[in-house]
Amino acid sequence: MSIAIAQARHIFGLKPGVSGNICYHDEQTIVYPAGSNCILYNIDQKVQRFIPGTDKSEGMTALAVSPNRRYVAIAEKGERPTITIYDLHSLRKKKVLSSHEVQSSEYISLAFSPDSKYLVAQGGKPDWTLLYWTWEKSKVMATAKTSNPQNPNSEVYQVSFNPQDNTQLCVVGNTVFRHFRYSEGNLKPFNFQKMEPQNYLCHAWVSEERIIVGTDTGRLLLFEAGEVKNEFNLVAPNIDKAAALDDANTAMTLQVTSLVSYSKGFACSFGLGTVYLFEKTDDKDYFKKAREIMIPPDLCNSQDSTLAQQQLIRCLAVSPSEETLVASTDQAQLYYLTLSSADLSKGDQAQFEVLSQVFHNAPITGLDVCIRKPLIATCSVDRSVRIWNYETCNLELYKVFAEEAYSIALHPSGLYILVGFSDKLRLMNLLIDDIRTFKEFTVRGCRECAFSNGGHLFASVMGNVIQLYSTTTFENINNLKGHNGKVKSVVWSADDSKLVSCGMDGAVYEWDTFTGKRISESVWKSCSYTGVTITPDGKATFAVGSDKTLKEIADSQILREVPAGDMTLSTVSLSHSGRMLFAGTVKGTLWSLKYPLAVPGDWTEHQGHGAPIVKMKISFDDQFLVSIAEDASIILWKIQDKEGRGLKRDKEVGWAEEILITKSDLEEKNTTVNDLNSRVEELKMENEYQLRLKDMTYNEKMKELTEKFIQEMESLKTKNQVLKTDKDKEESKHEEEMAELMDKHAKELQDLESANNQKLMLEYEKFQEQQAKMMKMQEDYDRQLQEMEESKEKALEELTEYYETKIQDMTTKLDQSNDEARQQSREYEETKKQIEEDADREILDIKHQYERRLRDEKEANMRLRGETGIMKKKFTSLQKEIDDHKEEIKKLQAETSKLNNVIRSLEKDILGLKKEIQERDDTIQDKEKRIYDLKKKNQELEKFKFVLDYKIKELKKQIEPREMDIKNMKEQIQEMESELERFHKQNTQLELNITELRQKLKATDKEMHQERQKVRDVEAVVRRFKTDLHNCVGYIQDPKMLKESIKALYQKHVQEDITESASVDADIQKEFSRQKEHLERSVASLRKKLEKDSEIHKADNVRIMQENVTLIKEINDLRKELKLCRVLIHDMEAAMGQDSRTRKMTGQGQGQGTVTALPTKQAGPMVEKELEEKSKVIEMQQLELRRLRDEIYDLEISAGSRPGSRRLPPVTGTA
């Protein structure tokens, strides 16, 4: 069991309502308040150190750093206001100042004296008391009332010391401008004002005697000894002052809100976001305006970038070396300007730069921490969403929206955020330089939302209903209904299987995220919960609320209830390791509680915020805790348990470095980079060219200068020689003069020595005389001393005798007084005895009296006992009645408290609803204004549209005929392209077919050669048989020889039996049938291919046929024309009598007519080629088919014409 350690590491924010809320400690360090802390911020190293506020304070009201930069004074509000002084080097508390003479609860202004030994504190209303302290002794030297007695409504704003005088003070306020001088324990007024009083807002000492004062009407007054020496009017002359003062907003823009002086002059803040620099002139009564500095516009505010320029600058400070000017505004922002750069460009308008980061300036409503990146997301009532980096302590990204953001959730990947607005819940992308919405959900007024730890789900709260959505599909998975009041907090378990919620109705529910059912519940109606957290194992939850306790809940039961005293806890957070527990309070402090919990609880309190803590989140590695509050501040705490343990982050994994960027942005950046690179190259070329030109010019100049120098050197050499000769002459003269002077001086020395020797002799004689006189004087003084000693001894003896006689007299008197004391003691003892005897007698008398009274009282007591018995019975009965009544009263009180709590919660709801109504009214008004503006813009745009429509119509009239031509041309091109593609496909297909057919042709050629060889072999056998048979026929007349010859023929030609020859015939038949089938199959496949080709080319054939039909028609028309021409020619020739020639000519004319008729075909050359190729292919196929048929026919004949009585050789070839 241990209490975790928490230390503030960085605070994002500024407390705006503090007097002098920005000061310089040294050149790099500024001091400013944030939350309940005072921060020392190093601008160069970007590191913060902290001075925490005191325990019982109600916040800081004023701040001042001593002129020697060693101490800071912090004024804090409370029942008794206090001023605490710290050492800025060690950050230790030096003194705490408080006084009973101040009736106010706060100090409104502080100032150190020039030597840093004294401190002036100006109290607030109602008494406006000024205190003059020697702070090192904690002593009030003097007090004074500074308000204007003639004006009861007068207020004091600022007090300051004269920079050269510890005793002189100046106080300004509404109708207050007074000088005080400290003398003899009083503050006495002097240099009384000699003009009508005004509302003086600020002042600064320009010199030892002069003060510059700013008013609420935009005027600067230069005072000296109470008289106005000069006046500067900062209001433009064209502004009507009377009209401006009527309007409160414009009146604010005319105020001089802050002044600071430095060696060259002074700086003043005037109106909204503007600072003027004034510099001294030769005329000591006059300063001239040298520079105007503006707050820059906020480019991240997409709605109105000029809103940042509408801030009032409340405080200005100049660095010790007067190099930088720092400003703080009423909207909690810090800006700075380097004065050296301001001096360089005088007369122009300069702009401030943001110091550190742009802070929130209104209560922060939402907070979340990323798992994969060191990022924090916050949203605020100031309508902004900001992404902070808690490792580098920088603002990574922010954007201002049109509406307030109520809640925010950061995806574990750090690439998306979920923001709840009044009208919708928006899922946004975190781009490299922007936040863009890409999905909206109809969840109105979402005050709480949270991503699951895995990032695949998110929960959003709408009133008393929790809605679960999928991050990938954006579907509403479940609606968790059960709360009767507003849900204030939602927490996911570590494994995302559970969701814990708490609400104003006093209920803490645990939900199953998969089924949407309630697992456990704990209802405590007397408490309205505001914060809840869950242990890493999901077994227990911790909840805080309005009943000032911390509850540990497990299995629907409250295990422990730790009272928090008088403090209300607003939020609670448990570390991911389950070893550290933290709670935030409504006062703004952070509690580190001992964990596991014990009753009574133990905790340590850390000063942090100056307003109630709204939310707290712990980073995934348990290294940091982030807290936000209603004072617009964010505090980053470094946390660890007592043993220094924590979740060690895997260094190898590291943080995710991925970022989102849109394709258009990336392309733009690439184009800009390319443009810049090209520009750089161009500039390089230009610079090189210019450098060459400069080198040329400088070389020429160098040549000219070297020539000049050579000439000058020669002239100087001549001069030098002349001067040397002059010098030699002068030296010789000086030597002669020196010799003469030496002789003179030697003579003078001799004369002086002789004269001085004579004077010395005279002086020595005088010295001897004086010495003799001195000896005589010494002897006289010795004598006088002896005489004085003798007289003193005599006087001493006389005095001793006198005092001895006195001592004897006093001893005699002492003896007498001792005797008298003894007599008095004896008398006292006698009187004492007499008094004791008298007292004994009196005691006896009193004893008798009281014994009598005792008897009487005993009798009365006995009587009263009887009465008391009766009364006791009555009392017991009355007591029972009282107890019954008390129980009834307790019940009624409990009911009243419940009802009061309900009334309070309802009042809060009413207030919230009223605020929402006001906000919505404001938004409605804004939107109506926007609608009106948009309508105006719409009217103007409609005018433009009418003009543009007319121009567009004219342009369309010009474009339409061209478009038609373009369309026609495009259609023709498309047709041509489609034809080309089709022809290409056909060509490829035909090529494939040709290759196949060629392969088949080769196979058939081989078979044909084999068959021919067989035929040749058979023919040879037939020839031999015929010759043998012819020889046998020769023996037809001789039967024996015929018989022998036939036998020889048989033996020669028939080598096997008849059965074998029959079997050979069957094999030949099978082989024949097999080859026949193969050829039939090949013919069938070729037919199929032909059919396919015909189908493929059918459309082309149809088109070609159509073209041919058209061509034939044209040919017929031409033939008709030809016939007519022939008839005419024939008639003409008949008339001329040249019939024979005309016949010949007509014969020739017919031949020419047929020839000339053909070229009139309109088909293109591509079509002709295609037709020729196709016709060739068809012819080739037809020839091949014929050849195959012939071969089949030949084979059939050869197979059918073999002799039946003789054996043939077997067929060896195969198909």
Side-chain angles (χ1 to χ4, degrees):
M1 293 176 69
S2 63
I3 298 173
I5 300 162
Q7 291 179 333
R9 183 180 177 234
H10 203 92
I11 300 178
F12 301 102
L14 170 71
K15 191 170 185 180
V18 179
S19 172
N21 66 351
I22 187 156
C23 311
Y24 264 96
H25 166 41
D26 55 37
E27 195 61 35
Q28 288 82 31
T29 310
I30 56 167
V31 183
Y32 63 91
S36 65
N37 298 277
C38 183
I39 296 172
L40 278 74
Y41 178 65
N42 190 305
I43 299 165
D44 293 341
Q45 298 173 2
K46 297 187 177 179
V47 176
Q48 291 183 349
R49 294 192 298 158
F50 307 97
I51 299 171
T54 54
D55 296 342
K56 295 180 181 178
S57 76
E58 296 174 16
M60 296 181 197
T61 56
L63 194 74
V65 172
S66 62
N68 63 6
R69 313 286 176 185
R70 280 191 63 191
Y71 307 106
V72 62
I74 300 168
E76 291 177 300
K77 193 176 181 181
E79 291 180 6
R80 263 180 72 192
T82 58
I83 301 166
T84 313
I85 293 165
Y86 294 89
D87 189 325
L88 284 170
H89 297 290
S90 63
L91 303 185
R92 289 181 182 172
K93 194 183 288 185
K94 298 290 284 183
K95 289 287 176 185
V96 179
L97 311 177
S98 63
S99 174
H100 296 285
E101 297 181 25
V102 179
Q103 296 175 14
S104 174
S105 63
E106 62 179 340
Y107 292 107
I108 59 161
S109 183
L110 299 174
F112 276 98
S113 63
D115 59 1
S116 305
K117 290 181 179 178
Y118 302 98
L119 181 73
V120 169
Q122 175 63 58
K125 58 185 177 183
D127 54 341
W128 307 102
T129 304
L130 181 69
L131 302 176
Y132 186 90
W133 301 79
T134 53
W135 64 266
E136 289 177 343
K137 296 177 183 177
S138 303
K139 184 181 176 183
V140 178
M141 303 285 285
T143 61
K145 304 287 184 191
T146 55
S147 60
N148 189 352
Q150 296 173 0
N151 183 6
N153 298 321
S154 66
E155 294 181 0
V156 179
Y157 302 132
Q158 190 184 357
V159 64
S160 69
F161 269 101
N162 186 321
Q164 306 294 328
D165 190 353
N166 284 346
T167 61
Q168 197 172 336
L169 309 171
C170 179
V171 180
V172 296
N174 190 358
T175 69
V176 176
F177 177 65
R178 303 180 74 182
H179 285 269
F180 290 93
R181 181 175 278 122
Y182 174 75
S183 66
E184 299 174 358
N186 290 312
L187 286 170
K188 296 176 182 177
F190 73 103
N191 281 350
F192 294 100
Q193 189 183 349
K194 296 170 185 176
M195 65 177 288
E196 289 183 9
Q198 298 183 40
N199 188 1
Y200 303 108
L201 299 177
C202 54
H203 72 280
W205 293 81
V206 181
S207 66
E208 190 178 348
E209 298 175 350
R210 294 173 177 241
I211 299 175
I212 192 88
V213 183
T215 69
D216 64 342
T217 56
R219 291 194 298 162
L220 292 170
L221 305 172
L222 185 67
F223 284 94
E224 185 178 358
E227 292 183 4
V228 177
K229 290 289 181 183
N230 203 347
E231 182 178 337
F232 311 97
N233 193 357
L234 301 178
V235 181
N238 55 1
I239 294 174
D240 186 5
K241 289 183 185 178
L245 289 168
D246 291 338
D247 189 3
N249 292 325
T250 49
M252 287 288 282
T253 62
L254 300 175
Q255 293 181 357
V256 178
T257 52
S258 180
L259 279 163
V260 65
S261 64
Y262 59 105
S263 59
K264 291 182 181 177
F266 65 90
C268 73
S269 61
F270 168 68
L272 297 175
T274 311
V275 171
Y276 293 116
L277 296 179
F278 284 82
E279 289 187 355
K280 293 176 183 176
T281 58
D282 296 333
D283 184 4
K284 65 178 183 178
D285 292 338
Y286 192 72
F287 289 84
K288 67 172 182 178
K289 186 163 73 173
R291 195 77 193 278
E292 182 181 349
I293 305 150
M294 298 285 289
I295 290 173
D298 187 1
L299 300 174
C300 290
N301 189 339
S302 58
Q303 304 302 315
D304 186 4
S305 61
T306 59
L307 272 175
Q309 296 178 316
Q310 296 174 15
Q311 304 180 67
L312 280 174
I313 295 170
R314 289 293 184 191
C315 188
L316 294 169
V318 177
S319 65
S321 64
E322 297 187 353
E323 284 188 2
T324 51
L325 174 73
V326 178
S328 67
T329 69
D330 61 339
Q331 292 183 18
Q333 305 300 330
L334 291 172
Y335 297 96
Y336 78 98
L337 176 83
T338 52
L339 291 171
S340 56
S341 66
D343 291 337
L344 286 170
S345 55
K346 287 180 183 176
D348 299 333
Q349 193 179 69
Q351 285 191 340
F352 279 105
E353 291 180 36
V354 176
L355 185 73
S356 70
Q357 287 90 27
V358 182
F359 304 127
H360 283 293
N361 55 34
I364 303 169
T365 54
L367 168 72
D368 203 4
V369 178
C370 183
I371 293 173
R372 288 284 292 115
K373 291 184 180 182
L375 298 180
I376 307 163
T378 57
C379 63
S380 168
V381 179
D382 62 6
R383 301 181 298 160
S384 70
V385 170
R386 294 166 200 259
I387 309 297
W388 313 82
N389 189 315
Y390 62 76
E391 272 203 340
T392 60
C393 299
N394 281 331
L395 178 63
E396 292 276 316
L397 193 62
Y398 82 98
K399 191 171 183 180
V400 182
F401 295 91
E403 297 172 352
E404 287 180 21
Y406 296 137
S407 60
I408 193 165
L410 188 55
H411 195 268
S413 66
L415 300 175
Y416 318 104
I417 55 167
L418 196 65
V419 186
F421 293 95
S422 59
D423 57 345
K424 283 181 182 177
L425 179 72
R426 292 182 173 89
L427 188 62
M428 302 182 180
N429 279 327
L430 290 179
L431 301 178
I432 189 168
D433 56 357
D434 196 10
I435 301 172
R436 289 188 193 167
T437 305
F438 75 93
K439 181 66 180 173
E440 292 184 344
F441 302 93
T442 55
V443 180
R444 297 175 66 82
C446 179
R447 298 273 176 179
E448 194 69 28
C449 60
F451 275 105
S452 63
N453 292 309
H456 60 293
L457 299 173
F458 67 84
S460 64
V461 174
M462 186 166 66
N464 57 1
V465 179
I466 303 164
Q467 296 179 338
L468 294 182
Y469 286 89
S470 170
T471 312
T472 51
T473 60
F474 309 123
E475 292 178 1
N476 185 359
I477 296 166
N478 272 317
N479 287 328
L480 311 179
K481 296 178 182 178
H483 284 280
N484 294 324
K486 285 185 178 178
V487 178
K488 296 296 286 182
S489 183
V490 170
V491 181
W492 291 85
S493 64
D495 59 355
D496 295 336
S497 62
K498 294 178 187 176
L499 186 78
V500 179
S501 63
C502 69
M504 299 286 286
D505 55 353
V508 176
Y509 293 141
E510 198 173 309
W511 310 85
D512 189 330
T513 55
F514 298 109
T515 60
K517 291 179 181 177
R518 200 186 302 164
I519 301 168
S520 66
E521 61 181 38
S522 173
V523 181
W524 195 264
K525 290 191 175 177
S526 62
C527 172
S528 59
Y529 289 109
T530 54
V532 70
T533 188
I534 187 167
T535 55
D537 58 4
K539 291 180 181 177
T541 55
F542 299 91
V544 294
S546 60
D547 62 347
K548 299 178 181 178
T549 59
L550 171 64
K551 296 180 182 68
E552 184 178 356
I553 302 163
D555 298 327
S556 304
Q557 293 182 348
I558 296 171
L559 296 180
R560 290 177 194 80
E561 193 170 352
V562 178
D566 295 330
M567 187 62 70
T568 304
L569 303 177
S570 59
T571 182
V572 66
S573 187
L574 182 68
S575 67
H576 297 92
S577 63
R579 291 199 292 266
M580 296 180 281
L581 185 65
F582 298 94
T585 67
V586 293
K587 193 184 170 186
T589 56
L590 177 73
W591 282 15
S592 179
L593 295 134
K594 183 182 276 188
Y595 186 77
L597 287 178
V599 180
D602 190 10
W603 60 80
T604 55
E605 189 173 25
H606 305 279
Q607 296 297 319
H609 299 277
I613 293 176
V614 177
K615 275 191 180 181
M616 294 192 308
K617 292 278 183 181
I618 295 173
S619 64
F620 189 68
D621 56 0
D622 286 349
Q623 296 292 316
F624 298 102
L625 177 133
V626 186
S627 60
I628 59 167
E630 291 178 7
D631 61 354
S633 64
I634 305 163
I635 301 183
L636 183 64
W637 305 84
K638 183 83 173 79
I639 57 170
Q640 59 182 9
D641 58 10
K642 278 283 185 185
E643 289 80 18
R645 292 179 299 174
L647 280 175
K648 296 288 182 185
R649 185 172 181 83
D650 191 356
K651 290 182 180 178
E652 290 180 4
V653 175
W655 299 111
E657 294 182 353
E658 298 83 15
I659 52 166
L660 289 180
I661 185 166
T662 59
K663 192 177 179 182
S664 58
D665 291 344
L666 190 65
E667 286 171 355
E668 281 177 12
K669 282 180 180 175
N670 288 331
T671 52
T672 51
V673 165
N674 292 328
D675 294 339
L676 289 166
N677 285 327
S678 61
R679 278 189 66 193
V680 165
E681 287 174 1
E682 287 171 5
L683 287 166
K684 274 184 183 176
M685 295 289 285
E686 285 179 10
N687 287 329
E688 285 173 2
Y689 178 67
Q690 287 175 359
L691 280 166
R692 284 173 194 161
L693 288 173
K694 283 178 181 176
D695 286 336
M696 295 284 284
T697 52
Y698 283 130
N699 287 325
E700 289 173 1
K701 284 180 181 177
M702 284 285 283
K703 284 177 184 176
E704 290 173 3
L705 287 166
T706 49
E707 288 172 0
K708 281 181 184 177
F709 280 124
I710 289 160
Q711 290 172 2
E712 285 175 3
M713 285 284 283
E714 288 173 355
S715 62
L716 286 166
K717 277 178 183 176
T718 53
K719 282 180 184 177
N720 203 2
Q721 286 174 357
V722 172
L723 287 166
K724 272 183 181 178
T725 53
D726 293 338
K727 185 193 166 192
D728 294 335
K729 289 176 183 176
E730 290 291 328
E731 277 180 354
S732 61
K733 280 181 184 178
H734 282 299
E735 282 173 359
E736 289 172 0
E737 286 174 359
M738 280 290 287
E740 289 173 1
L741 285 166
M742 288 293 283
D743 294 337
K744 281 181 184 178
H745 283 301
K747 288 174 184 176
E748 284 174 2
L749 262 168
Q750 286 174 0
D751 297 336
L752 284 165
E753 277 178 359
S754 60
N756 282 325
N757 285 329
Q758 289 173 1
K759 284 179 182 178
L760 273 165
M761 290 295 286
L762 291 167
E763 291 292 328
Y764 184 69
E765 288 171 359
K766 284 179 183 178
F767 171 72
Q768 282 180 345
E769 287 174 4
Q770 291 290 331
Q771 200 170 5
K773 282 181 184 178
M774 190 186 78
M775 293 294 285
K776 285 178 185 176
M777 290 284 283
Q778 198 167 358
E779 287 171 0
D780 291 336
Y781 280 122
D782 289 336
R783 228 181 285 119
Q784 285 175 6
L785 276 166
Q786 284 176 358
E787 288 171 1
M788 288 287 282
E789 281 176 358
E790 288 170 0
S791 63
K792 275 180 184 178
E793 283 174 359
K794 286 177 185 177
L796 264 167
E797 287 172 358
E798 288 171 1
L799 282 165
T800 49
E801 287 173 1
Y802 173 70
Y803 280 111
E804 280 175 358
T805 53
K806 266 193 174 183
I807 286 161
Q808 286 174 1
D809 294 336
M810 290 297 284
T811 49
T812 52
K813 283 179 182 178
L814 254 171
D815 294 334
Q816 288 174 4
S817 61
N818 284 329
D819 294 335
E820 286 174 0
R822 286 187 202 110
Q823 285 176 1
Q824 283 177 359
S825 65
R826 285 187 206 120
E827 288 173 1
Y828 171 71
E829 283 174 359
E830 286 176 3
T831 51
K832 188 180 174 185
K833 283 177 186 176
Q834 289 174 3
I835 288 161
E836 282 175 354
E837 288 172 359
D838 294 336
D840 289 335
R841 281 192 218 101
E842 285 176 2
I843 285 160
L844 287 165
D845 294 336
I846 289 160
K847 191 179 179 184
H848 293 306
Q849 285 177 6
Y850 277 110
E851 281 175 354
R852 278 192 221 107
R853 280 186 190 174
L854 247 172
R855 286 190 211 109
D856 297 336
E857 281 177 0
K858 278 179 182 176
E859 289 171 1
N861 203 1
M862 291 294 287
R863 192 169 60 253
L864 287 163
R865 271 181 190 168
E867 290 175 2
T868 50
I870 297 158
M871 292 298 287
K872 271 182 183 176
K873 288 176 183 175
K874 287 181 180 179
F875 178 73
T876 51
S877 63
L878 288 166
Q879 191 72 33
K880 284 178 183 176
E881 289 177 4
I882 287 159
D883 291 334
D884 295 336
H885 285 302
K886 277 182 179 176
E887 285 175 1
E888 287 176 4
I889 287 158
K890 281 180 183 175
K891 287 177 184 175
L892 290 165
Q893 282 176 347
E895 286 176 3
T896 50
S897 65
K898 284 178 184 176
L899 290 166
N900 285 324
N901 286 326
V902 171
I903 288 158
R904 283 176 199 144
S905 63
L906 290 167
E907 283 174 351
K908 284 178 184 175
D909 292 338
I910 288 158
L911 287 166
L913 289 165
K914 282 180 179 176
K915 282 180 182 176
E916 283 183 7
I917 289 158
Q918 285 178 354
E919 289 166 3
R920 286 180 182 176
D921 288 337
D922 294 334
T923 51
I924 287 159
Q925 286 176 0
D926 293 334
K927 283 178 179 176
E928 283 177 351
K929 284 178 183 176
R930 283 184 71 191
I931 288 158
Y932 178 70
D933 295 333
L934 289 165
K935 279 180 179 175
K936 278 187 173 178
K937 284 181 182 176
N938 202 0
Q939 287 174 358
E940 291 173 1
L941 289 166
E942 279 177 355
K943 289 175 184 175
F944 284 123
K945 188 186 171 187
F946 180 73
V947 175
L948 290 167
D949 284 337
Y950 181 71
K951 286 181 179 178
I952 287 158
K953 282 175 185 175
E954 286 182 349
L955 290 165
K956 276 183 179 176
K957 285 175 184 176
Q958 292 174 5
I959 289 159
E960 276 174 1
R962 290 179 184 176
E963 282 182 348
M964 289 296 287
D965 294 337
I966 289 158
K967 276 183 185 176
N968 293 327
M969 294 294 282
K970 279 182 181 176
E971 284 173 0
Q972 286 177 5
I973 289 158
Q974 283 174 358
E975 285 175 1
M976 295 290 282
E977 283 176 352
S978 61
E979 279 182 6
L980 265 169
E981 285 175 4
R982 198 162 58 249
F983 290 145
H984 281 303
K985 286 176 184 176
Q986 289 168 3
N987 284 332
T988 51
Q989 191 65 37
L990 288 165
E991 281 172 1
L992 288 167
N993 293 335
I994 288 157
T995 51
E996 284 178 6
L997 290 164
R998 277 176 182 164
Q999 287 172 359
K1000 287 174 182 176
L1001 260 171
K1002 283 176 184 176
T1004 49
D1005 281 334
K1006 281 181 183 178
E1007 287 176 4
M1008 190 179 72
H1009 286 303
Q1010 288 170 1
E1011 292 296 328
R1012 279 177 183 170
Q1013 190 65 41
K1014 286 176 187 177
V1015 169
R1016 284 192 204 105
D1017 294 338
V1018 170
E1019 282 175 354
V1021 170
V1022 168
R1023 268 191 233 108
R1024 284 197 304 271
F1025 184 75
K1026 278 180 180 179
T1027 53
D1028 291 338
L1029 192 66
H1030 182 71
N1031 292 329
C1032 282
V1033 171
Y1035 296 110
I1036 197 154
Q1037 297 296 326
D1038 191 357
K1040 284 181 182 179
M1041 289 296 289
L1042 183 66
K1043 189 178 180 182
E1044 286 174 2
S1045 61
I1046 286 164
K1047 279 180 182 178
L1049 187 68
Y1050 178 78
Q1051 285 171 1
K1052 188 179 181 182
H1053 290 287
V1054 179
Q1055 294 165 359
E1056 292 176 1
D1057 295 332
I1058 297 161
T1059 54
E1060 287 177 0
S1061 64
S1063 65
V1064 168
D1065 294 340
D1067 292 333
I1068 290 161
Q1069 193 69 32
K1070 281 179 185 175
E1071 186 66 32
F1072 174 74
S1073 63
R1074 190 174 64 77
Q1075 286 179 2
K1076 189 180 176 183
E1077 283 173 4
H1078 171 69
L1079 289 166
E1080 282 174 354
R1081 274 194 226 108
S1082 62
V1083 169
S1085 64
L1086 287 166
R1087 276 176 186 165
K1088 283 177 184 176
K1089 280 179 184 177
L1090 213 153
E1091 284 171 4
K1092 282 179 183 176
D1093 290 336
S1094 62
E1095 283 174 4
I1096 289 161
H1097 300 305
K1098 192 180 276 183
D1100 295 331
N1101 291 330
V1102 168
R1103 188 170 53 75
I1104 290 157
M1105 284 293 288
Q1106 286 173 354
E1107 287 176 359
N1108 286 333
V1109 168
T1110 52
L1111 288 166
I1112 288 157
K1113 281 180 183 177
E1114 286 179 3
I1115 288 158
N1116 291 328
D1117 294 333
L1118 288 163
R1119 278 175 180 167
K1120 284 175 184 177
E1121 287 177 6
L1122 251 170
K1123 280 179 185 178
L1124 289 167
C1125 289
R1126 279 177 194 163
V1127 171
L1128 287 168
I1129 289 158
H1130 184 68
D1131 293 336
M1132 291 291 287
E1133 283 177 353
M1136 291 170 75
Q1138 294 177 347
D1139 255 338
S1140 60
R1141 288 182 185 176
T1142 50
R1143 281 175 190 167
K1144 290 177 184 177
M1145 289 295 287
T1146 48
Q1148 290 173 1
Q1150 282 176 358
Q1152 285 176 356
T1154 54
V1155 172
T1156 53
L1158 288 168
T1160 58
K1161 187 170 83 170
Q1162 292 179 352
M1166 291 288 286
V1167 176
E1168 286 177 0
K1169 281 181 185 176
E1170 200 174 11
L1171 283 167
E1172 285 173 3
E1173 286 172 1
K1174 286 176 184 175
S1175 60
K1176 283 176 184 176
V1177 169
I1178 291 158
E1179 283 172 2
M1180 289 285 285
Q1181 286 174 354
Q1182 285 172 355
L1183 286 166
E1184 201 167 350
L1185 283 165
R1186 280 176 199 157
R1187 188 175 56 74
L1188 289 165
R1189 280 174 191 160
D1190 292 338
E1191 284 177 8
I1192 291 157
Y1193 182 69
D1194 293 336
L1195 286 165
E1196 282 175 356
I1197 290 163
S1198 63
S1201 63
R1202 71 180 181 275
S1205 60
R1206 298 179 71 178
R1207 288 193 301 170
L1208 292 170
V1211 179
T1212 55
T1214 55

